[in-house]
Amino acid sequence: MAVGGLLLAAGAGRRYGGPKAYAPVPGDGELMVQRGLRTLREGDCEPVVVVLGAGAERAPQLPGALVVVNEDWPSGMGSSLRAGLAALPPQVEAVVVLLVDTPGITAEAVRRVGAGAGPATLRVATYGGDGGHPVLLGRDHWAGAAKLAVGDVGARPYLARHEVETVPCDDVSDGADVDVPGSEVPRA
């Protein structure tokens, strides 16, 4: 079974002061888009789709990624989720979705969430019992998730309407997002 990766990295990062995708990970200098791609690839996702938008012309080379530019990025995360799902090849039965501004998520968390996934699988990583990223969407869920992904909302409305398997990841990852420059990243 092929489990792909989907990195949503199209936002303008208004609160951050610019697109987070091209900002260095606090404390180590690797760009957030590069960290997210590496995390998905090291987490055994193949292929990995990276959805860019704001500032896409500034993107570094992303070896091993299928890059999609979402021209509709100003409409919000929903359009990026739809663009990324549409770009995945037919052999992919499930996809691990990761946000670019969560550099504390590790490859181990990605592997945990993606383990043994198939077309009917629906999973979410948890931290302290609360849902976070990565999220796994089996192919059977893509159309429904895409339909409800409107504005600055991704798969959350779809997940709220379905039974979702939770995967505790507190011990291997930090699911916090980086909203302001200089935010600390506990581990990666």
Side-chain angles (χ1 to χ4, degrees):
M1 281 180 255
V3 176
L6 175 52
L7 180 63
L8 302 180
R14 287 176 192 83
R15 290 177 295 172
Y16 196 81
K20 296 177 192 178
Y22 316 118
V25 173
D28 86 4
E30 183 177 30
L31 298 184
M32 285 200 224
V33 68
Q34 293 168 321
R35 168 71 59 87
L37 172 58
R38 181 170 57 81
T39 299
L40 288 168
R41 291 190 54 79
E42 289 177 1
D44 301 329
C45 295
E46 182 63 37
V48 175
V49 172
V50 176
V51 181
L52 302 176
E57 69 283 353
R58 297 188 351 227
Q61 291 293 314
L62 299 169
L66 169 58
V67 176
V68 174
V69 176
N70 175 16
E71 300 295 342
D72 193 28
W73 68 265
S75 70
M77 186 188 332
S79 64
S80 291
L81 179 62
R82 290 190 306 273
L85 290 174
L88 287 159
Q91 71 270 22
V92 174
E93 295 185 348
V95 65
V96 176
V97 181
L98 188 61
L99 303 181
V100 76
D101 66 352
T102 55
I105 293 177
T106 63
E108 178 57 32
V110 170
R111 277 190 293 276
R112 226 178 245 188
V113 170
T121 309
L122 195 58
R123 289 186 188 139
V124 63
T126 61
Y127 303 91
D130 296 326
H133 282 86
V135 169
L136 183 127
L137 302 171
R139 186 174 278 278
D140 295 352
H141 300 282
W142 294 3
K147 182 177 179 181
L148 295 178
V150 178
D152 205 26
V153 178
R156 188 178 315 129
Y158 186 82
L159 295 171
R161 296 179 184 189
H162 294 83
E163 188 173 326
V164 179
E165 181 183 346
T166 58
V167 181
C169 291
D170 312 77
D171 62 323
V172 295
S173 198
D174 186 290
D177 62 341
V178 175
D179 277 337
V180 294
S183 297
E184 210 170 295
V185 179
R187 58 183 139 168

